[in-house]
Amino acid sequence: MRPILAIASTTVGEAIRRRVLLVILLIGVLFIVVAPGLGILSARSETTVLRGFMLGVTQGVSCIIAVILTVYMIPNEIERRTIYTILSKPVQRWQFLVGKYLGAVFSLLLMMAMMSAVMAFVFFLQQQSKNVGEVADLMKGPMMYFVQMCLLAAVGIFFSTFVAPLVNFFLTIGVFLLGTFFNPLFQTLQENQNTVPFVKLVAKGVNTFLPNFANYNVQNPIINPTSVIQNEGRYYLGITVYGVVYISILLIVAILIFDRREV
Amino acid sequence: MAAAIETKQLTKSYKSRQAGTINVVDHLDLHVEEGEIFGFLGPNGAGKTTTIKMLLGIIYPTSGEGFVLGKEIGDMDVHRLISYLPERPYYYEHMTGLELLKFYGSLFGITDKDKFVQLLEKVNLHRDMTKTISQYSKGMQQRVGLAQSLLNDPKLLFLDEPTGGLDPIAHREIRDLILSFRDEGRTVFISSHELSEVELICDRVAIINRGVIAAQGKLTDLLKGGRIEIVVEGVQEALLSDMKITDANVRTLPNGFMLDMPEENDPNSVIDAIRSQKGRVISVVPRRKRLEDLFVETVSSRGANS
Ligand SMILES: Nc1ncnc2c1ncn2[C@@H]1O[C@H](COP(=O)(O)OP(=O)(O)OP(=O)(O)O)[C@@H](O)[C@H]1O
Ligand SMILES: [Mg+2]
């Protein structure tokens, strides 16, 4: 366990010093801070739009950070030969990979926590009612995004064991977009009584195969204005378990590939 | 003595578009004894780094086998007893020297801060241990690399071109450190093409060219065949040729003669004989065979890679 944690914390140390990531994070924070002053907010649905906008910024920025963070993770270690000294120590390849992944997760946690704190603060300030419960409700969004980004990071690490960073960048973003926009579509296809059995099967396959990123977007009142969840706690638990299982599978396959690979 | 490293027909091949499959390391039989400094020499692209990476389990052999400290390569237990300094290494630049040792130490489960400081003292970096690696010079980076390679008190060290790109003073410091490793009973496997240095510190060497071993053995054996040249005046040529030294030549010089004989012969007996005939010895010059000569001989006879 110690090697894994050492590798993870070193990864965090590197990530929080990466200028690209910090600049992106800063831009995100900036957008959140100026959000209440933007003209896009109509008086009537003010909080709804503000919430949607801030959550959207948080999600978008987190997504870009997660992708940039993970697509270079393994290739950089190989290119700079830092991996050689590490693997010549009693460190198994799976430990290295898991350490790297956890490092990405901790880095995301740090950066997302910071953005969310700013968001909570800004939201609280412009609120007329100063209702803390509403702020807490808003924070469910970033919490679910965090699980979503952990899943996205696993996708990025998975691909980085066998494709080059640039290709991986588009692949991972592509999977994210597909999982966000197509999963609901296939879901509908799958559940519709009138769908041809073959299409139904395909829809089911794609649905099972693609990581379902759409699950985690329920908090955004703009994207999901009408969605009502009966049992919130259960729903969140469910999609978190789904995320963890999916991440585990991705990491196991990544390890199998990485173990055979020449570095 | 037991073998620290043993390879049997170890081979690594890569496919290339132009040349088809090439054996970068070609049926290599290496034998490194425990407790020696072993020089692994070869021109650029000979396959030195590839061999080391295979021995460390970083890349996998195409065929053949290798044993490190008696265990088949890839055995994780062995990794507790060995260490590796890659060529042109790079360390996480945001860390200080001390943090770097802490990081590598934790990979072994070592957390003893005194040990880290001691190691930094050993490589003469204790005054710079709070500077970050990005502020280190090349020589300092190489020394911190050596410090990390000593963390686990290794029995066997793989050093890939440990003095590449360093100035003469840094060379000397690293050389002294490597010699101290042998005194501490460690086996050191050095890949290098700094021949004068290897000649100074190595017990045995292997010369590899295009993945094939061209020569392997004790340095003293490989460098046999040096000669001694003695220039004399005031004696007859017959005196020299009558000595009947095997494989010796006598050449006529404007004022005398030069006797050129294998280094195994004792020059003193020759000098005594000349003096007893009232001859004068002008000079005695040993022409030792240098590692460089051997290297150029073995490598150019097969054609270097690039
Ligand atoms: N992944 C790879 N794919 C194809 N060829 C490779 C690969 N890695 C190494 N080679 C080739 O193997 C040969 C040996 O490389 P290696 O790095 O072992 O040489 P070396 O003896 O360490 O040389 P140097 O003294 O320059 O460090 C080179 O010709 C190199 O091009
Ligand atoms: Mg090399």
Side-chain angles (χ1 to χ4, degrees), chain B residues 49 87 160-161:
Chain B
T49 302
E87 62 181 331
D160 199 350
E161 295 184 29

Side-chain angles (χ1 to χ4, degrees), chain B residues 33-297:
Chain B
E33 292 282 313
E34 258 176 32
E36 70 182 3
I37 301 184
F38 187 91
F40 193 43
L41 318 176
N44 291 123
K48 303 182 294 292
T49 302
T50 308
T51 305
I52 294 179
K53 284 190 192 167
M54 279 195 279
L55 291 171
L56 291 166
I58 291 171
I59 59 176
Y60 306 117
T62 311
S63 65
E65 354 168 57
F67 298 89
V68 177
L69 297 175
K71 297 261 174 75
E72 203 154 345
I73 47 182
D75 190 309
M76 258 311 138
D77 293 336
V78 169
H79 284 219
R80 303 202 157 272
L81 306 172
I82 62 173
S83 70
Y84 173 41
L85 183 67
E87 62 181 331
R88 288 170 287 118
Y90 173 101
Y91 303 101
Y92 296 115
E93 292 204 323
H94 66 272
M95 293 184 170
T96 66
L98 188 62
E99 283 168 349
L100 191 82
L101 289 198
K102 246 188 226 162
F103 167 64
Y104 283 117
S106 62
L107 300 181
F108 288 105
I110 300 169
T111 50
D112 177 11
K113 193 187 165 198
D114 293 341
K115 170 145 196 170
F116 304 146
V117 176
Q118 264 170 29
L119 283 175
L120 288 168
E121 265 165 22
K122 183 171 172 120
V123 298
N124 202 13
L125 275 179
H126 47 292
R127 266 173 265 100
D128 304 296
M129 66 183 181
T130 52
K131 280 190 194 162
T132 58
I133 302 293
S134 55
Q135 295 168 294
Y136 277 16
S137 71
K138 241 188 194 167
M140 290 159 84
Q141 292 196 12
Q142 203 68 354
R143 277 186 281 148
V144 84
L146 280 173
Q148 69 80 20
S149 75
L150 289 172
L151 273 165
N152 55 330
D153 200 7
K155 284 176 77 172
L156 168 62
L157 291 103
F158 291 90
L159 309 178
D160 199 350
E161 295 184 29
T163 53
L166 300 184
D167 68 30
I169 298 176
H171 263 224
R172 196 189 196 112
E173 285 172 348
I174 300 230
R175 197 168 71 212
D176 291 345
L177 275 169
I178 293 171
L179 283 170
S180 76
F181 297 165
R182 178 174 56 190
D183 297 340
E184 291 158 357
R186 310 181 202 280
T187 311
V188 187
F189 185 89
I190 305 180
S191 125
S192 180
H193 27 226
E194 308 268 356
L195 298 172
S196 52
E197 209 144 83
V198 168
E199 196 167 350
L200 283 174
I201 60 176
C202 289
D203 305 305
R204 292 197 326 125
V205 299
I207 299 179
I208 175 178
N209 188 27
R210 297 183 155 196
V212 180
I213 289 192
Q216 178 169 215
K218 267 204 158 110
L219 207 49
T220 44
D221 292 342
L222 290 173
L223 296 184
K224 270 195 185 131
R227 303 189 67 88
I228 302 175
E229 293 170 358
I230 303 175
V231 177
V232 297
E233 282 179 15
V235 291
Q236 300 296 313
E237 183 180 358
L239 172 78
L240 298 173
S241 36
D242 284 352
M243 286 181 186
K244 302 249 180 306
I245 302 167
T246 353
D247 192 24
N249 317 302
V250 179
R251 258 169 273 166
T252 311
L253 299 178
N255 298 319
F257 302 98
M258 182 175 85
L259 173 72
D260 167 22
M261 62 181 190
E263 64 180 353
E264 295 84 45
N265 299 288
D266 181 11
N268 286 314
S269 55
V270 177
I271 293 168
D272 289 346
I274 291 161
R275 290 231 172 101
S276 68
Q277 299 295 313
K278 301 277 183 284
R280 274 180 297 137
V281 176
I282 304 300
S283 66
V284 178
V285 181
R287 298 250 179 248
R288 286 191 47 213
K289 192 165 175 184
R290 304 292 307 267
L291 185 52
E292 194 178 313
D293 306 327
L294 177 71
F295 186 84
V296 172
E297 245 168 58

